[in-house]
Amino acid sequence: MFGQNLDVQLSSARTEDTIVVWKSFHDSITLIVLSSEEGTSELRLERLLQMIFGAMVLLVGLEELTNIRNVERLKKELRASYRLIDSFLVDSELIGDLTQCVDCMVSPEGSLLQEALSGFAEAAGTAFVSLVVSGRVVAATESWWRLGTPEAVLLPWLVGSLPPQAARDYPVYLPHGSPTVPHRLLTLTLLPGLELCLLCGPRPPLSQLDPQLLDRWWQPLLDPLRACLSLGPRALPAGFPLHTDILGLLLLHLELKRCLFTVEPSGNKEPSPGQRRHLLRSFYALVTATHFPPEPGQQEKVENAACLAQVPRACYQVSGTEEPGSGWRLVALHLGPRLLLLLLSAQSPTHGLRGLATHTLHALTPLL
């Protein structure tokens, strides 16, 4: 506030062990986040604030947040967003809150599920339908994939954060597409942990989505649906060929805004899944802030044409001790619209990191 009075924009501050980041939205709401977690970056906290404000708009609407008539009433309404906001603050198996891309899961029967999804969407009378497993999208209609940021990330995350229910009819605002007019998010549990999500207007009523309609489209696909559940946090089909040194990976398609994130591609080795997620998250924040900035706009592309040769395409980091043959390897490779980050075991030689990353990216390319 002191800085604002002097026309100075101050966005963050640090103490010896804490970083403080704040951001004002629409000259109405100011969010402040403090973190003493080791290695936390400003990029991580800035995106966290964007997601939290998006969650508030998703469940309350932009009008209530920018034209505040009764503060106490707003505080009560915002309680609906607490569970979703809390899910951003704990260690999650998802990473869309940081990457701003939709967490996906690759089913071995993807084409079958996609065909059924399209047919069901037409029968139900809505173009926006997806299959979600624990916050990850397995399949979705073209219209669902065209949802803007942040709702494309927030909607599956919201479904994954809610307690299990057979069916829901949930009012939501779309922070990008419809921040002031609510839509309806309908969810139907096909199997425990696997939900069918529909985004629609006043129609269809939830009662129209009767068991007969669900059975017609999904009963023949019970085995492929169960196969999705068995993928779990691995997010990749069983038997997908990955090098044994790979302890975790993050693949992003920067144009489609989708990502694959797993820290369980192989057997139980050190470090723990939680540590692997932390290492990959920290590495993503580092390379995004320093080496691979977000794609520039058209005007910037013209102005920076002479600098294109200086944009790095790969980098690596050794985390832990500096003794030969020890420390986890982290490597990032940027090729076209895709960015791949790998966490590798200490046995992986540094001179082979780029080759291994290139080979892995080519193997994963058909999936995303």
Side-chain angles (χ1 to χ4, degrees):
M1 290 173 70
F2 178 77
Q4 277 181 335
N5 292 334
L6 300 174
D7 290 329
V8 174
Q9 186 179 352
L10 193 62
S11 59
S12 66
R14 288 179 182 267
T15 68
E16 286 184 9
D17 59 359
T18 304
I19 178 170
V20 187
V21 174
W22 56 91
K23 186 172 177 61
S24 290
F25 296 88
H26 299 273
D27 293 324
S28 176
I29 299 282
T30 299
L31 298 178
I32 306 170
V33 60
L34 297 88
S35 176
S36 54
E37 186 181 344
E38 188 179 351
T40 296
S41 66
E42 285 186 29
L43 177 93
R44 155 83 178 117
L45 297 181
E46 285 168 3
R47 292 193 174 182
L48 174 63
L49 292 182
Q50 290 169 4
M51 288 293 285
I52 289 172
F53 185 73
M56 293 162 68
V57 175
L58 185 80
L59 297 172
V60 174
L62 188 60
E63 178 69 23
E64 292 290 330
L65 297 170
T66 55
N67 187 14
I68 302 170
R69 291 178 288 273
N70 186 321
V71 172
E72 291 305 315
R73 181 180 149 204
L74 176 62
K75 284 157 72 173
K76 285 181 183 175
E77 290 179 342
L78 283 172
R79 287 176 189 163
S81 64
Y82 285 1
R83 181 185 286 269
L84 178 55
I85 291 171
D86 283 345
S87 71
F88 300 142
L89 304 179
V90 297
D91 178 32
S92 171
E93 293 176 353
L94 309 176
I95 201 171
D97 60 317
L98 177 60
T99 63
Q100 299 179 329
C101 296
V102 181
D103 284 279
C104 297
M105 178 182 282
V106 179
S107 165
E109 303 286 355
S111 56
L112 272 177
L113 296 176
Q114 193 68 49
E115 192 178 327
L117 203 64
S118 301
F120 176 81
E122 192 174 333
T126 176
F128 300 87
V129 186
S130 66
L131 277 173
V132 176
V133 175
S134 304
R136 289 186 171 96
V137 176
V138 181
T141 59
E142 283 187 29
S143 295
W144 183 284
W145 283 128
R146 285 200 295 268
L147 287 171
T149 304
E151 51 259 34
V153 176
L154 284 168
L155 288 171
W157 199 298
L158 171 66
V159 173
S161 72
L162 293 172
Q165 276 184 293
R168 299 186 195 91
D169 192 337
Y170 215 79
V172 292
Y173 297 82
L174 305 181
H176 174 76
S178 181
T180 56
V181 179
H183 286 62
R184 293 163 63 227
L185 176 65
L186 308 183
T187 69
L188 300 155
T189 299
L190 298 181
L191 291 169
L194 190 152
E195 298 187 70
L196 187 63
C197 304
L198 299 84
L199 191 64
C200 53
R203 301 189 60 81
L206 189 58
S207 57
Q208 185 179 316
L209 305 173
D210 52 38
Q212 286 84 5
L213 181 65
L214 293 176
D215 286 349
R216 176 185 158 200
W217 290 100
W218 301 108
Q219 189 69 34
L221 296 177
L222 272 180
D223 287 340
L225 292 174
R226 288 194 184 101
C228 294
L229 288 172
S230 67
L231 294 177
R234 192 175 191 273
L236 292 168
F240 186 83
L242 284 176
H243 197 282
T244 54
D245 284 349
I246 296 175
L247 303 176
L249 69 84
L250 169 61
L251 173 65
L252 300 112
H253 196 298
L254 302 173
E255 290 177 1
L256 297 179
K257 291 284 185 182
R258 303 178 201 173
C259 66
L260 283 172
F261 180 49
T262 178
V263 293
E264 299 184 22
S266 54
N268 295 327
K269 301 177 186 173
E270 287 293 322
S272 69
Q275 288 174 303
R276 295 181 192 190
R277 283 192 288 270
H278 178 71
L279 286 165
L280 277 168
R281 278 177 160 269
S282 299
F283 189 50
Y284 171 81
L286 172 71
V287 300
T288 301
T290 54
H291 302 311
F292 308 122
E295 291 295 306
Q298 289 301 320
Q299 186 60 35
E300 289 170 297
K301 286 180 180 176
V302 173
E303 292 172 359
N304 296 336
C307 304
L308 286 177
Q310 299 174 25
V311 177
R313 289 289 168 231
C315 64
Y316 78 91
Q317 179 183 16
V318 178
S319 176
T321 67
E322 296 182 5
E323 296 173 17
S326 63
W328 321 115
R329 277 81 167 114
L330 290 145
V331 58
L333 179 66
H334 192 189
L335 204 58
R338 293 176 178 83
L339 174 62
L340 175 68
L341 279 67
L342 295 178
L343 171 65
L344 301 158
S345 66
Q347 288 74 38
S348 198
T350 52
H351 62 80
L353 295 180
R354 183 165 185 168
L356 175 54
T358 304
H359 176 78
T360 305
L361 181 56
H362 287 317
L364 291 168
T365 293
L367 304 183
L368 194 64

